[in-house]
Amino acid sequence: MALIESTLATGGDAFKANRDGMLALIARIRDLEERARKASAASAERFHKRGQLLPRERVALLLDPGTPFLELSTLAGYMFDNGDPSKSVPGGGVIAGIGFVSGIRCMISANDSGIDAGALQPFGLDKSLRVQEMALENKLPFVQLVESAGANLMRYRVEDFVRGGNIFRNLARLSAAGLPVVTVTHGSSTAGGAYQTGLSDYIVMVRGRTRAFLAGPPLLKAATGEIATEEELGGAEMHTSVSGLGDYLAEDDRDALRIARDIMAGLNWDRPEPGPNGSFKPPRYDAEELLGIMPMDHKRPVDMRQVIARIVDDSDFTEMAPNYGPATVCGQARIEGHAVGIITNNGPLDPAGANKATHFIQACCQSQTPLLYLNNTTGYMVGKAYEEAGMIKHGSKMIQAVTSANVPQITLYCGASFGAGNYGMCGRGFHPRFCFSWPNAKTAVMGGEQAAKTMAIVTEAAAARRGVPVEQDKLEKMQKSITFMFDGQMDVFATSARVLDDGVIDPRDTRAVLAETLAICREAEARRPARMQYAVARP
């Protein structure tokens, strides 16, 4: 055993300041999530009057009671729908997450039709594409609850129309991979969105509420002169008795969700088995202490072993080569019995640290051990000595190892993730299976002050070459503008809004989230392609 000893001074001023800062950020995130729930719930009277359930009520009834639901990308689109931070409603108009339906772990996606009739909000497309990608990569059946007014024509962008085709392509790919696509069409599924319903393996429609057609009555009349009602064109009864699009006719939302659960229950699909070791021991230190480890100032040093000690079984961590490239920490541990290789940073990545990380990644691939990256680095070291030592070469080897890894990789932004260090530590651009952030995390090509100083030096050098004086007032104004621009895009309220992670998690929930994702990865790896014969693509 290699137990990590705690060095935290939990009664000290620094710990308390870190804790207060983290709690304030968590409170802000929870307030934004609650704002989205309230915005949707404001439609309750209208929904209930017509016999419908609210979107979150639908999700709750679909899920197995008492089982975990890992909601994803709750801050998607924040500040893009409305530039006023007090009025912006995050979520992208989509409720998405991983949960259990009839004992089967599934990816669930539901249009939040309580907000703008379910029209996609800014970054809702990105969120939808990401959860489909996660379902495909992690071999999860896909359950979607559809009720959408489609694209917001007032915010039409041709690139969204073109990229939106990926939603339908991904549904076909899921089905072709043997991953059942189960759809409950609670309301509108019109125009191109009709294929969201059509490209499903099992389709449930609701009497009197479902609408699925390529052209609604107004467009039909304008295009052809034909007059028809919505029910005649694309109602549930027509589609389940005439067109054959619908497979099941439900009387209302509750009945539709019951049918969806029955469909899942009837699948010949492996239910998750217990983890590899049910007798694991919890960490020796309280998860509450994770609140006080990370400083709000990313330039202050942190011993990431103290984070590891509070998330791994029995705080037991077998570190590899601790005296070689010591700022890069690599080692083996278990999280709720799941073996995992951990890579993290106690400072910038240097040539020795990059070499060590490369070796460790390759060793984990050889033993088929998933990798967890705990990001906390300002990047790769720079300077004459480091260039001579081959920083580019060794950093490139590390990036190649990350790219070529044949095991599941999970990324958690705990602190800074700057420059090429973001790449070497399996940032979002390197397609980790899951990518989460802590509320204090920062992601950028460099810090705002560094960027401003760099541009000031470049500007002064250019002026000197031209033989003209530098106007200090303009230079200072430029530096302030650059700092503001960088600082405004590096925190989680900016990055998660852009779906550059899969969600922001409370540090205290880290162990539970990682255990859940490692279990998902383990199940996906065990589900061999030869056994993926459960869903049949519709003719």
Side-chain angles (χ1 to χ4, degrees), residues 75-134:
L75 296 187
Y78 175 59
M79 293 286 287
F80 285 92
D81 62 322
N82 190 316
D84 184 343
S86 67
K87 295 180 180 178
S88 177
V89 178
V94 178
I95 303 163
I98 300 171
F100 288 90
V101 179
S102 298
I104 296 175
R105 200 192 301 267
C106 306
M107 178 65 77
I108 297 160
S109 178
N111 297 123
D112 197 343
S113 49
I115 301 173
D116 289 350
L120 272 182
Q121 302 298 312
F123 284 92
L125 171 59
D126 301 77
K127 180 174 178 176
S128 295
L129 294 176
R130 173 57 181 160
V131 299
Q132 288 180 327
E133 175 191 331
M134 293 171 78

Side-chain angles (χ1 to χ4, degrees), residues 418-448:
F418 288 171
N422 175 271
Y423 304 158
M425 290 296 293
C426 199
R428 181 58 182 275
F430 285 75
H431 294 262
R433 289 282 188 96
F434 296 92
C435 180
F436 296 104
S437 299
W438 277 0
N440 61 294
K442 309 282 187 187
T443 305
V445 67
M446 64 181 72

Side-chain angles (χ1 to χ4, degrees), residues 40-41 43-62 95 111-114 145-147 184 186-187 206 209 252-258:
S40 182
S43 303
E45 184 178 353
R46 185 171 72 253
F47 269 68
H48 294 164
K49 191 174 290 185
R50 61 194 187 205
Q52 286 189 295
L53 297 170
L54 283 166
R56 286 191 178 272
E57 293 173 331
R58 294 168 183 167
V59 172
L61 279 176
L62 177 70
I95 303 163
N111 297 123
D112 197 343
S113 49
L145 308 182
V146 174
E147 183 175 34
V184 178
H186 291 275
V206 181
R209 296 307 318 169
D252 55 24
D253 281 352
R254 289 178 183 274
D255 190 38
L257 295 166
R258 175 194 61 78

Side-chain angles (χ1 to χ4, degrees), residues 379-403:
Y380 287 98
M381 289 297 292
V382 296
K384 183 179 177 181
Y386 294 103
E387 296 291 2
E388 291 176 346
M391 188 69 265
I392 296 174
K393 178 176 68 175
H394 298 303
S396 297
K397 288 179 181 177
M398 181 177 174
I399 290 170
Q400 283 185 323
V402 171
T403 304

Side-chain angles (χ1 to χ4, degrees), residues 405-480:
N406 61 359
V407 295
Q409 300 183 96
I410 299 169
T411 298
L412 177 60
Y413 296 125
C414 297
S417 185
F418 288 171
N422 175 271
Y423 304 158
M425 290 296 293
C426 199
R428 181 58 182 275
F430 285 75
H431 294 262
R433 289 282 188 96
F434 296 92
C435 180
F436 296 104
S437 299
W438 277 0
N440 61 294
K442 309 282 187 187
T443 305
V445 67
M446 64 181 72
E449 292 179 12
Q450 287 176 299
K453 200 168 189 178
T454 299
M455 289 308 300
I457 293 170
V458 170
T459 301
E460 289 171 334
R465 285 196 302 272
R466 295 195 306 270
V468 298
V470 175
E471 297 183 47
Q472 289 300 321
D473 288 347
K474 287 186 177 179
L475 190 66
E476 290 176 10
K477 185 177 180 181
M478 180 192 74
Q479 287 182 276
K480 288 180 180 177

